[in-house]
Amino acid sequence: MSVANKHVLNGVNTIGGTSAGNAVADVVLPCLDEAEALPWVLARIPRGWRAVVVDNGSTDGSADIARGLGATVVTEARRGFGAACDAGLRATSAEFVCFCDCDASLDPGLLPGLVRRVADGEADLVLGRRRPRESGAWPLHARAGNAALARMLHRRTGLRLHDLGPMRAARRSDLLGLKLNDRRCGYPLEMVVRAADAGWRVEEADVPYLRRVGASKVTGTWRGTWQAVHDMRQVLSAPPLLPAVRSVS
């Protein structure tokens, strides 16, 4: 799907939108060859927020495009989604940090709603529950795998979640306190597992899910799917750790 065909979500154009009250966040955007999607994604970062694009080995000029559009660009030589997320988190400085895919499947303009719930003390970690808005946005095999993962997560932690999607928000100091170790596909799951072990309030918020721009690097390939399953099983089989130190909100 062309970025030019991306539509305005929820009837509101969020380009240059306002932030969540007085809460300002840094948005970590792991990036691997997302040159076509970057202009749409970065245009929808809320006004006053900072986009931290973590280039994870792109060969299509993604880093130069992001830099030219005003984003902070971090280069992470270690390949892996978790490595990119960790590098991005450590490059942030705002009280609140958000994560979002850089493929135009999710609208960063919706992030203030997630941050607001953390800032208001309703939750410690808010995950965007993906709601497909277009045919082909979320293939059946990917949905089935996500549902199975949610069931395994419930058995491991007691959390009842519907989706372990990539859009999320929390306080920076709390995230650093989780001391996440996975540097590949298990990073998003490890964040939720460690948060549950630490007694965090983990909640979901519905977010529209669109067809991504370009090919998936994970579920779009057999190798990527196998690697994701392997990494997530490793996370779920790890013993619980002592509660992470949290900031006082």
Side-chain angles (χ1 to χ4, degrees), residues 17 28 33 39 57 78 86 91 109 124 136 140 155 169 173 185 222 244 248:
V28 176
D33 293 331
R78 296 172 299 169
D86 179 69
D124 303 304
L140 183 59
R155 288 197 295 269
S173 57
C185 301
W222 281 107
V248 178

Side-chain angles (χ1 to χ4, degrees), residues 119-145:
D120 290 347
E122 298 177 15
D124 303 304
L125 173 64
V126 181
L127 310 177
R129 180 185 179 184
R130 291 170 289 185
R131 296 291 200 174
R133 289 289 182 87
E134 299 175 318
S135 175
W138 201 359
L140 183 59
H141 74 276
R143 289 199 218 189

Side-chain angles (χ1 to χ4, degrees), residues 17-245:
T18 58
S19 62
N22 294 323
V24 175
D26 288 339
V27 183
V28 176
L29 298 160
C31 177
L32 176 58
D33 293 331
E34 304 289 7
E36 186 180 356
L38 273 167
W40 186 87
V41 172
L42 293 178
R44 304 183 79 82
I45 298 294
R47 183 183 298 121
W49 290 26
R50 182 167 67 121
V52 180
V53 174
V54 185
D55 185 65
N56 201 209
S58 299
T59 59
D60 65 349
S62 289
D64 290 337
I65 291 172
R67 200 174 287 112
L69 292 172
T72 296
V73 176
V74 175
T75 300
E76 176 51 63
R78 296 172 299 169
R79 291 294 284 269
F81 185 77
C85 288
D86 179 69
L89 174 60
R90 295 182 186 282
T92 62
S93 58
E95 179 181 1
F96 301 97
V97 172
C98 300
F99 293 86
C100 187
D101 274 354
C102 204
D103 58 10
S105 62
L106 293 163
D107 182 2
L110 301 175
L111 285 169
L114 277 64
V115 170
R116 187 177 297 111
R117 293 174 66 174
V118 178
D120 290 347
E122 298 177 15
D124 303 304
L125 173 64
V126 181
L127 310 177
R129 180 185 179 184
R130 291 170 289 185
R131 296 291 200 174
R133 289 289 182 87
E134 299 175 318
S135 175
W138 201 359
L140 183 59
H141 74 276
R143 289 199 218 189
N146 186 74
L149 189 61
R151 289 193 295 272
M152 289 188 285
L153 177 71
H154 174 64
R155 288 197 295 269
R156 165 65 173 77
T157 67
L159 287 177
R160 291 190 178 278
L161 299 175
H162 300 87
D163 187 17
L164 297 172
M167 179 178 273
R168 46 191 64 190
R171 280 186 165 80
R172 179 180 188 272
S173 57
D174 288 350
L175 289 168
L176 289 172
L178 292 179
K179 301 185 184 303
L180 303 180
N181 295 318
D182 193 282
R183 294 296 177 263
R184 296 191 299 196
C185 301
Y187 185 93
L189 177 61
E190 185 184 23
M191 182 187 295
V192 178
V193 170
R194 290 280 184 94
D197 288 347
W200 288 23
R201 296 161 298 170
V202 182
E203 296 186 2
E204 296 179 317
D206 288 355
V207 293
Y209 194 47
L210 309 175
R211 277 182 292 167
R212 63 160 291 137
V213 172
S216 171
K217 283 77 173 179
V218 180
T219 56
T221 67
W222 281 107
R223 180 179 180 182
T225 300
W226 181 89
Q227 188 66 68
V229 170
H230 175 270
D231 294 346
M232 291 176 182
R233 282 179 174 170
Q234 290 287 99
V235 169
L236 289 170
S237 63
L241 299 180
L242 293 175
V245 176

